[in-house]
Amino acid sequence: MSTQADHGRELIPRPEQTPDALRAALAVVDPSRLEEMQATKDDAFAKAVEWQSLSPVQSWVLTWARDIEIARRPELSACLSRARANLEHEDSVIAREALRELSAVLDEAMKAVGG
């Protein structure tokens, strides 16, 4: 696992972008998603064979690196939860702000993991 510049409190260091390192990190920050991770990994590897391309595996790695980046940073995770909770708010201004916040969280996490 590598270290990262200070983004506030982090639960764990940022993991390397390998399946084993990502799985180990997820087991710490959000173990309830391990089954989902395995299912999407199996799907990505099957598509890679079918398509004769590594792009599905690369997408899988980036998606899980992003999700783990959010989960390992409590402030970012709280922003994501708040945004998701307000996405279908009856006040369209609040719903639009939630969508903007959701996009910002995903963008920040993706940028942090090099995607």
Side-chain angles (χ1 to χ4, degrees), residues 35-109:
E35 191 173 307
E36 175 191 357
M37 176 188 242
Q38 186 61 49
T40 59
K41 178 182 175 186
D42 293 346
D43 184 54
F45 277 76
K47 285 179 181 171
V49 171
E50 180 184 340
W51 299 352
Q52 297 182 356
S53 169
L54 288 178
S55 65
V57 175
Q58 292 166 327
S59 293
W60 178 86
V61 167
L62 274 177
T63 296
W64 284 99
R66 179 202 65 203
D67 287 3
I68 291 164
E69 181 68 19
I70 294 166
R72 73 185 196 87
R73 294 170 52 189
E75 290 178 21
L76 204 55
S77 184
C79 286
L80 180 71
S81 294
R82 185 174 51 251
R84 284 183 172 160
N86 286 325
L87 278 176
E88 295 190 30
H89 197 280
E90 60 189 34
D91 183 334
S92 64
V93 173
I94 292 172
R96 274 195 306 275
E97 178 57 25
L99 183 58
R100 188 206 60 74
E101 186 173 19
L102 176 67
S103 293
V105 167
L106 295 173
D107 288 348
E108 181 177 338

